[in-house]
Amino acid sequence: MAVICRKAMYYVFVINNKLLASMGTKTLERVLQYIFPFKLPPGLSDPVVKKSFAEWDQPSRQIQISAMLFLTAWLYAIFSVIDKSWVPDDIESLMRKLHLWVVIPLLLAISYLAYKKSFYSLTMRCLAVYPLISMSCHAYIASQFEGSTPLLTEGYLGVLWIFIVSGMTFGYAIVSASVVSAILLVSGFYFIGERDAYLLHVFWIFCSFSFGIMGALIFDLSRKEIFWNQRKLQALAVTDPLTGIYNRNKFDQILSQEIKRDIRYDESFGLLIIDIDHFKNINDSFGHNVGDQVICKTAELLAQSIRENDTLVRWGGEEFVVIALGVNEESLDLLANKLRLTIERAYFPLVDNITVSVGATLFRKDDSQNALLARADRALYAAKEKGRNLSVTVSE
């Protein structure tokens, strides 16, 4: 039995990594969702969203892992000093040594690693392997004497601990718990003499695994649902409901960032304010629904025409703002004219054609947000005063 346990402790690292490589969390979740009536939020299949969820989920998992492993270490320490009259002295000494010199140090080491963000991936792998080592020690101790029935509870709790308490992600938890269950089943076959007792042992392992996997699945889906709802609320807070582009809340965030970036790295940027000419006439002649369609089509055309690193914002009503990065006065003027011509040449259903006026200006080191906006607004006013369907760039 000792040879079996030592081999188990040696191979669990290899088994765990191979299983994780061949069975990703996505595959496991698909299988379980086929069996159970649970559904993931629809957008979480996108790789970018999944990465965002992992980044959102990591800090709370680090806290959970660190706290729960520290607590588990203390509980093992208490268990080590409890008098066990039902255990032979030599086995009790062996148990105490394994707990004090193997199990508890591993728990404390992983608990410490969990505090370090850079070690998160290593922490998760170590956490997945720890129960295999712990349960191998448990199986070895139980195999050394008759009457080890009170120890069996530790194995059942161990399976639940993996799923519910440890803080492992769902994929790691199911693989780790599967290997632990196999260790408990194989070792129990050797040291549980009675057939009926072994069958009951198998039943309790099945119960622990079933409760654990259901609890972990519900917990995992709950976290993803919370993340998805927060993401939707954040999107609503920074997105214009009519056009789907950014609103003024997001504009304030981005403009503040770009001002700091310009001051620190001397990376110039410019601001364009774009206004649909005679928009009130469109509403009066064709109705507000057509006016909304014109605004949406204008936003779509502008979004397609700006550069990838530029930001388009609906400022309000028929006005839009573009934050243009890495420009000088000449390239800013070219961009303003390009956007103006794009709208002028486009066809708008019912309305036929529309025009826009554009005011543009570069950021200066002594500018505040209000000063920058005021200067761009003066440029827009000048474009309208000169007859509309023009772009004007000012530097003063």
Side-chain angles (χ1 to χ4, degrees):
M1 186 63 207
V3 174
I4 293 173
C5 290
R6 281 196 296 270
K7 285 185 177 179
M9 291 173 66
Y10 175 78
Y11 286 115
V12 287
F13 290 91
V14 178
I15 293 170
N16 192 55
N17 286 334
K18 285 187 176 180
L19 284 171
L20 284 170
S22 62
M23 294 181 66
T25 305
K26 186 176 180 180
T27 304
L28 293 166
E29 286 178 345
R30 281 180 177 176
V31 171
L32 289 169
Q33 287 165 27
Y34 181 78
I35 300 171
F36 302 114
F38 298 121
K39 290 184 179 179
L40 279 174
L44 278 173
S45 58
D46 183 85
V48 176
V49 178
K50 288 178 72 175
K51 183 180 178 182
S52 297
F53 169 73
E55 293 172 353
W56 173 87
D57 188 51
Q58 180 177 328
S60 60
R61 282 199 184 273
Q62 286 180 276
I63 294 170
Q64 181 182 352
I65 293 168
S66 186
M68 289 304 180
L69 266 67
F70 187 78
L71 173 61
T72 306
W74 271 106
L75 292 175
Y76 264 111
I78 293 170
F79 178 73
S80 297
V81 299
I82 292 175
D83 182 49
K84 307 174 190 65
S85 57
W86 45 274
V87 178
D89 291 342
D90 59 330
I91 302 301
E92 185 174 4
S93 175
L94 171 64
M95 188 186 302
R96 186 176 293 112
K97 287 177 181 177
L98 285 173
H99 287 164
L100 293 177
W101 299 106
V102 178
V103 175
I104 294 175
L106 278 174
L107 286 166
L108 293 176
I110 300 170
S111 176
Y112 174 76
L113 280 177
Y115 269 112
K116 307 293 182 180
K117 184 178 179 181
S118 57
F119 291 136
Y120 180 71
S121 179
L122 175 63
T123 299
M124 196 59 67
R125 289 185 177 275
C126 291
L127 182 59
V129 169
Y130 157 74
L132 315 185
I133 297 173
S134 176
M135 287 301 107
S136 295
C137 293
H138 160 83
Y140 177 68
I141 294 168
S143 69
Q144 297 302 300
F145 70 102
E146 295 182 0
S148 59
T149 304
L151 287 178
L152 296 179
T153 307
E154 181 188 355
Y156 311 143
L157 284 174
V159 175
L160 288 171
W161 183 92
I162 291 169
F163 280 119
I164 308 298
V165 178
S166 68
M168 286 186 220
T169 54
F170 187 74
Y172 277 104
I174 197 169
V175 172
S176 184
S178 297
V179 180
V180 162
S181 298
I183 292 171
L184 295 173
L185 289 170
V186 172
S187 61
F189 181 80
Y190 282 95
F191 71 77
I192 299 177
E194 298 181 10
R195 178 177 176 274
D196 290 344
Y198 179 70
L199 290 176
L200 191 61
H201 174 65
V202 172
F203 174 73
W204 287 123
I205 292 173
F206 174 77
C207 289
S208 301
F209 194 92
S210 300
F211 288 138
I213 198 170
M214 285 296 291
L217 180 61
I218 292 169
F219 184 62
D220 186 64
L221 293 178
S222 297
R223 292 170 83 105
K224 288 175 178 175
E225 192 70 40
I226 292 169
F227 163 77
W228 187 247
N229 289 335
Q230 286 186 359
R231 186 180 176 89
K232 287 196 292 185
L233 288 173
Q234 289 170 355
L236 287 173
V238 299
T239 304
D240 174 59
L242 178 63
T243 61
I245 63 176
Y246 288 139
N247 62 16
R248 292 179 71 160
N249 291 334
K250 188 66 174 180
F251 171 81
D252 291 338
Q253 296 175 19
I254 295 175
L255 184 58
S256 177
Q257 292 171 3
E258 294 307 325
I259 288 175
K260 291 175 183 177
R261 192 195 308 273
D262 185 289
I263 293 172
R264 184 172 182 180
Y265 300 108
D266 197 27
E267 296 180 357
S268 63
F269 73 92
L271 199 70
L272 295 85
I273 300 181
I274 303 164
D275 185 85
I276 300 175
D277 295 329
H278 304 295
F279 183 74
K280 185 177 183 301
N281 293 340
I282 296 173
N283 276 338
D284 293 342
S285 301
F286 301 98
H288 289 279
N289 285 338
V290 173
D292 287 347
Q293 292 174 22
V294 168
I295 289 174
C296 290
K297 181 71 180 289
T298 303
E300 182 183 348
L301 290 169
L302 292 174
Q304 293 171 353
S305 302
I306 61 174
R307 301 164 305 171
E308 186 176 352
N309 60 341
D310 295 337
T311 301
L312 173 65
V313 173
R314 185 182 178 196
W315 189 244
E318 69 273 22
E319 286 189 333
F320 300 88
V321 173
V322 174
I323 300 175
L325 305 184
V327 292
N328 53 31
E329 190 166 331
E330 181 181 357
S331 59
L332 183 65
D333 190 54
L334 288 172
L335 176 62
N337 268 302
K338 173 189 172 184
L339 298 179
R340 181 186 64 79
L341 290 171
T342 296
I343 303 301
E344 182 184 12
R345 294 167 180 171
Y347 171 74
F348 289 77
L350 298 179
V351 179
D352 195 12
N353 295 102
I354 67 167
T355 61
V356 295
S357 300
V358 185
T361 188
L362 285 173
F363 173 75
R364 299 187 311 211
K365 291 292 188 291
D366 59 345
D367 275 339
S368 63
Q369 290 192 27
N370 290 336
L372 179 64
L373 282 165
R375 194 163 60 251
D377 201 48
R378 288 199 302 272
L380 175 64
Y381 182 77
K384 288 186 174 291
E385 284 289 299
K386 292 180 180 179
R388 292 183 171 82
N389 192 24
L390 292 171
S391 65
V392 172
T393 303
V394 299
S395 56
E396 296 294 334

